[in-house]
Amino acid sequence: MQISDAEWTVMNLIWESQPTAASDVIEQLAETHAWSAATIKTMLHRLVRKGALSATSSGRKYIYSCRVKRADCVLHASRSFLDRVFGGDTAPALLHLVESSKLTADQIDELKKLLDSMER
Amino acid sequence: MQISDAEWTVMNLIWESQPTAASDVIEQLAETHAWSAATIKTMLHRLVRKGALSATSSGRKYIYSCRVKRADCVLHASRSFLDRVFGGDTAPALLHLVESSKLTADQIDELKKLLDSMER
DNA sequence: ATACATTGTTTACACATGTAATCGAACGAG
DNA sequence: CTCGTTCGATTACATGTGTAAACAATGTAT
């Protein structure tokens, strides 16, 4: 199962607000993207068919929930991305990503703590 | 211009060995992927049409070179990926990626040095 | 009952991508 | 010269994706 670019937007929103009705999803995505309701409904329908989302009837509305864990999807997508773009060698990728990111002092500290813990 | 998953494999190889002839590309990719020569030739042709590669005639062979910098493509792909999967917030993404990567002690040191330099 | 609005499903179309065969031109060997 | 091989271009087909309209069913208001 592969989540497409546009579908990630939908999934992220539902991960953060599930369980949620289509009308809510549509309302929020219409604000941030130039998608018609029809487009969003199609994406929801396809995600259900793919097995990423489940829909349970509530009256005639469907309430959507995620059937896959965000962490699992993120991990899979991340690995796939790193493999593809960096040929599987993680470290140069991370160096590059860190270098090109704007991080706060707190965030830098947090990363350093994480690296410390990995060293032991 | 968007480089597809399979095309990244081709681009990575050419970035590392350019300028290079199609026969060389085909030979090397055939070892690592179950692609026919026809498949690889198509990808090369599409990448030229996209503007990612250039091809200069040498006799009747084409010599392929990249028209785009690896660093630029990586940066663009990385940002796009982070935006899509993590909703634009880089730090949690990096934490996640670091946490799920197997890094050597040297690589950890290198990352820490980079973070140190970003703090100043 | 009828008309309208809402909701999910189905249909539509264009393009990109993965995979590869086929074709036409150029080259080399006999 | 002919024939076979090689090389890039063209063609092919299936699937996925982006975008959205159209349709059918259900609910609400008059």
Side-chain angles (χ1 to χ4, degrees), chain B residues 14-29:
Chain B
I14 295 175
W15 270 315
E16 282 164 15
S17 51
Q18 71 181 333
T20 185
S23 49
D24 294 335
V25 176
I26 289 164
E27 189 180 315
Q28 291 183 64
L29 290 180

Side-chain angles (χ1 to χ4, degrees), chain B residues 22-23 38 41-42 45-46 60-64:
Chain B
S23 49
K41 283 191 283 185
T42 300
H45 187 67
R46 283 180 183 168
R60 68 161 172 173
K61 288 189 169 215
Y62 274 20
I63 304 297
Y64 289 94

